[in-house]
Amino acid sequence: MAESWKSRLSSEFKRPYFETLIGFVEDERRNFTVYPAPSDTFNAFKVTPFDKANVLILGQDPYHGAGQAHGLSFSVMPGIAVPPSLRNIYKELASDVGFVPPKHGHLLKWAEQGVMLLNSTLTVRAGEAGSHQGYGWERFTDQVISLLNEKETPVVFVLWGRYAREKVSLIDNPRHTIIESAHPSPMSCTKFFGSKPFSKINAALDSAALPRIDWAL
């Protein structure tokens, strides 16, 4: 975790709920296969330091298939098949900004440019979507959203789907931009297509005199 996040979250790490949460995850790892690997769990905080986080794309749960999750929401490592939601993100990118979809689903380049790819829940039991929800991760990541809300520089918050859009109450600073739409999953993608979030993100960054995101992968 980057020092800029570690220092701001240090008090959170000491709270009883977080100690209980870490104990739960460690117990799960002893008894089941859990994704992502321990070294990847906080990757979003490692790759996108607080001071460089100009965009937040909020996911819900890590991927629960073998080799998929690596600590960045919606992203998979090179060599892993591109998941359906990410394929739909690529389709919207192509329509929105002329993006040429790559054969991989590795979104590290976005994170390095200041797009924080954060899931609300940071771990999951293999093959069991949502299995680590309700154990404390949401309280922790809500605090992360609140810290970004307190930033003096504008942040673009991207909330896809009902679950993410419920977090809008944590974002009350008028300097920020909120982009909401349906989720890119196959179940709701027809309402996601045409929402043009990627050009909207760059327009908001332009207005704030912040660097645009180069979406090309």
Side-chain angles (χ1 to χ4, degrees):
M1 185 178 285
E3 187 57 43
S4 58
W5 278 115
K6 197 179 296 183
S7 59
R8 287 173 173 82
L9 291 166
S10 58
S11 60
E12 210 68 17
F13 297 144
K14 298 172 186 173
R15 297 189 190 280
Y17 89 88
F18 192 83
E19 294 179 2
T20 301
L21 166 63
I22 295 304
F24 162 75
V25 174
E26 288 174 346
D27 190 57
E28 284 281 291
R29 290 194 187 279
R30 279 191 292 268
N31 293 287
F32 304 96
T33 300
V34 171
Y35 301 127
S39 59
D40 288 338
T41 301
F42 294 100
N43 262 354
F45 302 87
K46 188 187 307 180
V47 182
T48 313
F50 177 83
D51 50 313
K52 292 186 178 179
N54 297 328
V55 180
L56 174 72
I57 297 181
L58 186 66
Q60 183 170 351
D61 225 19
Y63 294 122
H64 54 82
Q68 291 182 307
H70 66 107
L72 302 180
S73 63
F74 296 102
S75 179
V76 293
M77 291 295 285
I80 301 296
V82 178
S85 290
L86 185 53
R87 284 202 302 270
N88 289 332
I89 288 171
Y90 283 178
K91 287 179 184 177
E92 179 60 19
L93 267 163
S95 171
D96 187 8
V97 299
F99 173 83
V100 178
K103 296 188 184 301
H104 66 82
H106 197 214
L107 307 182
L108 178 65
K109 184 181 174 185
W110 296 357
E112 291 174 336
Q113 294 180 76
V115 181
M116 190 165 192
L117 299 169
L118 180 71
N119 282 313
S120 288
T121 304
L122 298 189
T123 56
V124 66
R125 191 186 294 180
E128 297 186 37
S131 50
H132 285 190
Q133 292 177 9
Y135 289 93
W137 279 129
E138 296 90 342
R139 180 172 172 181
F140 175 73
T141 52
D142 280 359
Q143 179 61 19
V144 171
I145 296 169
S146 295
L147 285 169
L148 289 172
N149 180 59
E150 293 167 9
K151 278 193 77 167
E152 294 184 6
T153 53
V155 177
V156 184
F157 292 88
V158 182
L159 309 177
W160 289 331
R162 181 185 58 80
Y163 183 89
R165 294 169 86 170
E166 287 177 353
K167 305 295 183 180
V168 74
S169 61
L170 300 172
I171 309 161
D172 59 8
N173 194 318
R175 71 169 64 92
H176 303 314
T177 298
I178 300 171
I179 297 173
E180 300 181 66
S181 77
H183 195 277
S185 79
M187 291 181 288
S188 55
C189 62
T190 53
K191 294 181 180 178
F192 171 73
F193 292 141
S195 61
K196 300 188 180 299
F198 307 101
S199 57
K200 290 176 181 176
I201 289 168
N202 275 341
L205 293 173
D206 287 344
S207 296
L210 292 168
R212 300 182 122 232
I213 306 302
D214 175 7
W215 299 109
L217 294 169

